[in-house]
Amino acid sequence: MKIPDIPPTALARALPKSLRSSAEIAVDHIQHGTFQRSMSLLVAATSIVTGAEVAYEHYKGSYSNPVMYSPVILSGVLTSAGLCGFFSRRLATTFLRYTSFITLIDGVIGFGFHIRGIARKPGGWRLPLTNIVMGPPLFAPLLFSTSAYLGVIASYLQREEDHGIRSRTVDVSLSFRSSSFGDDIRIGRFQKHLCVVCAIGTFAVGAESWYSHYKNNFKYRVQWSPVLLVPVMIFAALSSISSKRLANTLLPAASSLLMLNGAVGTYYHARGIVRRSGGMKKPLYNILYGPPIFAPMLMAACGMLGMLAYLMRRER
């Protein structure tokens, strides 16, 4: 049975009449890279979530190392930069861009500290399974950098008000010179690049999900769902690099499943917190020591990256 190839424009036209016009406009903006303000707001929102997650994870460690304050502070700065990028074209290409790059570097540094933290536990890397499960979450600093990555992307995009003749002129003018990282983003042609980032992020989220659920021995069957979906998403993202058909079929299907799984996971984590002793009468304690409330949202974020890649045009 041949799977139908459904490009984003065809999918928008297939929606009910009441939604069709808005969907077609949104797809057109995304495919021509004119959604800087929308992406800036997304950066601000995701930075709040990831910053909150890091804040209470480091609180558990009593902020024993001063560097543990850096992602918390930077998440607040990045939220401000995202809001500034929404209102100002100039600040989007300066404040938002530089803050995003600094936050990316901080995530890489944090990854190094978490590797060191695992190495310093009894047995170190000679007992990898035990120390990865019980030590600092290995890939969490890289996942923290997701908002920063979106901020870098936003800083190169065109504004919504540029859509139309101006954005088409930019598209044509760039076709006469060799492409660069920023140029491809500016005109909405970075599908393959986004697929690579999506695959890396999904692997990191999958690893975090596996050893987080391993701690309670996969008590509920639903805890297997993110672990099982991760290889599907990684295959879809990497296969889409070489196959446009898979980018228009398997990629959006896998991305939708990941976003749905993230929403379901958030519900179960919230329920897990409420069911702890004291429930919401002791919110701070139960949020800190219950299931990580924002963790499933990272799974949904990887699905969102995959869906965004589906909506993009391919590189020149």
Side-chain angles (χ1 to χ4, degrees), residues 30-276:
I30 291 172
Q31 293 203 328
H32 289 88
T34 52
F35 59 106
Q36 186 181 72
R37 298 177 70 189
S38 302
M39 183 66 91
S40 296
L41 279 182
L42 182 63
V43 170
T46 56
S47 184
I48 292 174
V49 173
T50 55
E53 179 86 5
V54 172
Y56 70 68
E57 286 293 337
H58 285 180
Y59 179 84
K60 292 178 186 178
S62 303
Y63 289 93
S64 55
N65 189 328
V67 78
M68 295 169 79
Y69 285 101
S70 64
V72 180
I73 295 170
L74 283 172
S75 66
V77 177
L78 186 59
T79 298
S80 300
L83 293 175
C84 289
F86 174 79
F87 291 106
S88 169
R89 184 193 301 265
R90 184 179 182 85
L91 290 177
T93 57
T94 53
F95 183 32
L96 177 57
R97 182 177 299 176
Y98 300 141
T99 302
S100 298
F101 275 120
I102 291 170
T103 307
L104 276 173
I105 294 170
D106 186 73
V108 174
I109 293 171
F111 182 52
F113 273 103
H114 281 217
I115 292 174
R116 190 184 71 167
I118 293 171
R120 286 183 170 183
K121 290 185 72 66
W125 284 99
R126 288 173 294 175
L127 298 172
L129 181 60
T130 300
N131 287 335
I132 287 175
V133 170
M134 304 308 296
L138 181 58
F139 296 109
L142 298 182
L143 294 172
F144 164 73
S145 301
T146 303
S147 298
Y149 167 76
L150 294 176
V152 172
I153 295 297
S155 72
Y156 285 100
L157 292 170
Q158 299 178 77
R159 310 285 282 182
E160 280 81 348
E161 52 267 33
D162 295 338
H163 190 69
I165 296 176
R166 182 170 180 175
S167 63
R168 264 60 171 187
T169 302
V170 171
D171 202 336
V172 172
S173 65
L174 292 179
S175 65
F176 293 104
R177 71 186 195 193
S178 58
S179 62
S180 66
F181 173 76
D183 289 343
D184 281 338
I185 292 175
R186 193 178 180 194
I187 58 176
R189 287 187 176 274
F190 56 104
Q191 185 182 75
K192 298 178 182 179
H193 163 81
L194 207 54
C195 283
V196 173
V197 174
C198 178
I200 295 171
T202 302
F203 172 79
V205 171
E208 291 283 319
S209 297
W210 178 81
Y211 63 68
S212 178
H213 292 170
Y214 178 84
K215 289 179 181 179
N216 72 343
N217 200 30
F218 289 91
K219 183 178 179 180
Y220 304 102
R221 290 182 180 179
V222 73
Q223 291 180 313
W224 285 103
S225 61
V227 180
L228 296 175
L229 282 174
V230 161
V232 177
M233 186 67 221
I234 292 175
F235 174 78
L238 295 180
S239 298
S240 297
I241 297 172
S242 58
S243 172
K244 188 175 181 179
R245 173 172 289 278
L246 288 177
N248 288 337
T249 52
L250 183 59
L251 182 61
S255 300
S256 299
L257 288 174
L258 244 66
M259 288 190 287
L260 177 62
N261 187 260
V264 172
T266 300
Y267 162 75
Y268 274 104
H269 281 219
R271 189 184 71 166
I273 291 171
V274 173
R275 286 185 171 184
R276 288 177 62 84

